[in-house]
Amino acid sequence: MAKSKFEYVRNFETDDTCLRNCYIVVRLDGRNFHRFAEQHKFTKPNDNRALGLMSRSARSVMEELEDIVIAYGQSDEFSFVFKRSSTWFKRRASKLMTHVASQFSSSYVFYWKEFFLDQPILYPPSFDGRVILYPSNRNLRDYLSWRQADCHINNLYNTVFWTLVQRGGMTTAQAEDRLKGTLAADKNEILFSEFDINYNNESDLHRKGTTLIWEKRDETVIKRMKSPDEEEKHVIRSRRRVQAHHCDIIGEQFWEEHPDILEDDN
Ligand code: DGT
Ligand code: MG
Ligand code: MG
Ligand code: MG
């Protein structure tokens, strides 16, 4: 087929193939969700409708796109990890990232009603995306640990901050002042001694964020045979389903219990 004289412009496309053998992480973060949360009256410090919608959207990403082995989310962000041997879209970073971002964004709007019921969505939200490559299991685990540690630090701060405001009657400026220079132990102590709250008993969803992984479940399905004299047959089928966990992923236990997530380093 003859080529047009315009064909040369294709050569302006740059190669963004992700390095082989690396885990490909796509992290999304809501754009200006400070405002989005205010406008949609998200409860403080955590809105379970909003967190549920984030997880539902992330599940849609895992179900619709190939090769994502684990996803971790908290606040207005979600990280998706493609298996290191993935060849999806020839490992082109822009393709992977934009598919994740658009599938997530459209799902966020599509499933909005399931979580916010009669409260309408006031304007279209958007999410930025970035791609990061991790060459070793240690690096990948440290990345996920970093995000979960961030969840913990922010949630502890926000929990004390909003407790001081909502139950302690402080203004936001006073609460901010009170927390200036405090360490984690101080914040735990304020919650415990002044409000009788043991931070460790706060919800796992808020303290640990959400980890999505694939899990195999055996399901019994009843098969009816075509001819009327044949009986119903019970068939056990193994199905892969996305399962949510709200647990520690920094320590060894989670990884020992789910040895299939990571591929060997060699
Ligand atoms: P960005 O990401 O630079 O465009 O700006 P933001 O405003 O999205 O900032 P970011 O991502 O650092 O912080 C997330 C914001 O989302 C933060 O202001 C609090 C808000 N947010 C997230 N989850 C909740 C929630 O469950 N409840 C409330 N009230 N706010 C939330
Ligand atoms: Mg954001
Ligand atoms: Mg954020
Ligand atoms: Mg499990």
Side-chain angles (χ1 to χ4, degrees):
M1 199 167 49
K3 289 183 174 183
S4 79
K5 66 171 181 174
F6 308 117
E7 192 78 15
Y8 79 96
V9 295
R10 180 192 283 280
N11 296 324
F12 280 59
E13 288 182 19
T14 50
D15 177 41
D16 63 351
T17 309
C18 294
L19 188 66
R20 289 161 63 103
N21 295 334
C22 293
Y23 290 101
I24 303 169
V25 175
V26 175
R27 181 165 82 251
L28 304 182
D29 186 280
R31 177 169 182 234
N32 201 356
F33 258 49
H34 183 73
R35 172 167 180 257
F36 191 83
E38 289 288 330
Q39 299 257 310
H40 293 89
K41 303 185 175 65
F42 284 13
T43 56
K44 291 166 173 160
N46 294 292
D47 189 310
N48 287 347
R49 300 166 302 174
L51 293 171
L53 178 56
M54 289 291 290
S55 290
R56 181 65 191 87
S57 307
R59 180 152 72 82
S60 157
V61 169
M62 286 180 75
E63 285 168 349
E64 298 299 328
L65 310 188
E66 281 167 44
D67 289 349
I68 295 168
V69 288
I70 184 169
Y72 175 75
Q74 50 122 344
S75 182
D76 69 337
E77 68 168 62
F78 239 99
S79 298
F80 299 88
V81 181
F82 288 82
K83 68 179 185 186
R84 51 171 25 159
S85 57
S86 179
T87 53
W88 201 54
F89 276 107
K90 296 187 177 151
R91 297 175 73 83
R92 287 168 64 184
S94 54
K95 291 270 189 181
L96 300 176
M97 182 174 61
T98 53
H99 271 305
V100 170
S102 64
Q103 183 71 38
F104 190 93
S105 300
S106 64
S107 298
Y108 194 93
V109 175
F110 188 81
Y111 293 113
W112 174 270
K113 279 198 300 294
E114 283 184 21
F115 294 86
F116 284 88
L117 308 178
D118 290 337
Q119 187 181 316
I121 188 163
L122 300 173
Y123 60 91
S126 69
F127 296 83
D128 73 48
R130 71 191 73 192
V131 172
I132 320 112
L133 301 178
Y134 290 110
S136 69
N137 287 347
R138 187 71 263 164
N139 291 153
L140 178 71
R141 278 189 51 184
D142 286 347
Y143 169 80
L144 293 168
S145 298
W146 173 52
R147 299 323 304 147
Q148 189 167 55
D150 188 80
C151 174
H152 164 71
I153 291 163
N154 290 333
N155 190 60
L156 177 59
Y157 183 93
N158 292 337
T159 301
V160 191
F161 181 89
W162 287 108
T163 302
L164 287 169
V165 172
Q166 291 162 354
R167 287 180 51 189
M170 284 188 177
T171 64
T172 52
Q174 285 169 331
E176 205 177 311
D177 222 42
R178 176 77 199 278
L179 291 177
K180 218 166 262 170
T182 55
L183 305 174
D186 305 320
K187 295 186 184 76
N188 276 303
E189 186 56 28
I190 293 173
L191 285 174
F192 193 70
S193 60
E194 295 179 32
F195 301 98
D196 208 23
I197 294 171
N198 183 342
Y199 181 73
N200 290 325
N201 296 337
E202 293 293 289
S203 101
D204 288 338
L205 163 64
H206 302 160
R207 289 185 304 121
K208 302 294 181 192
T210 299
T211 302
L212 301 178
I213 54 174
W214 288 102
E215 283 184 3
K216 281 213 182 76
R217 285 279 162 82
D218 284 342
E219 282 179 7
T220 310
V221 280
I222 300 167
K223 262 195 172 170
R224 286 204 176 77
M225 298 299 123
K226 289 261 164 60
S227 56
D229 53 320
E230 274 186 281
E231 297 166 34
E232 289 181 342
K233 246 188 176 172
H234 290 248
V235 188
I236 294 175
R237 270 203 305 228
S238 186
R239 272 190 62 177
R240 258 160 50 98
R241 296 189 64 175
V242 174
Q243 189 69 40
H245 294 262
H246 310 291
C247 63
D248 176 82
I249 57 170
I250 296 176
E252 296 302 322
Q253 192 184 340
F254 174 81
W255 301 99
E256 283 165 4
E257 285 173 5
H258 302 100
D260 302 337
I261 299 170
L262 302 180
E263 293 162 76
D264 282 345
D265 263 336
N266 41 49

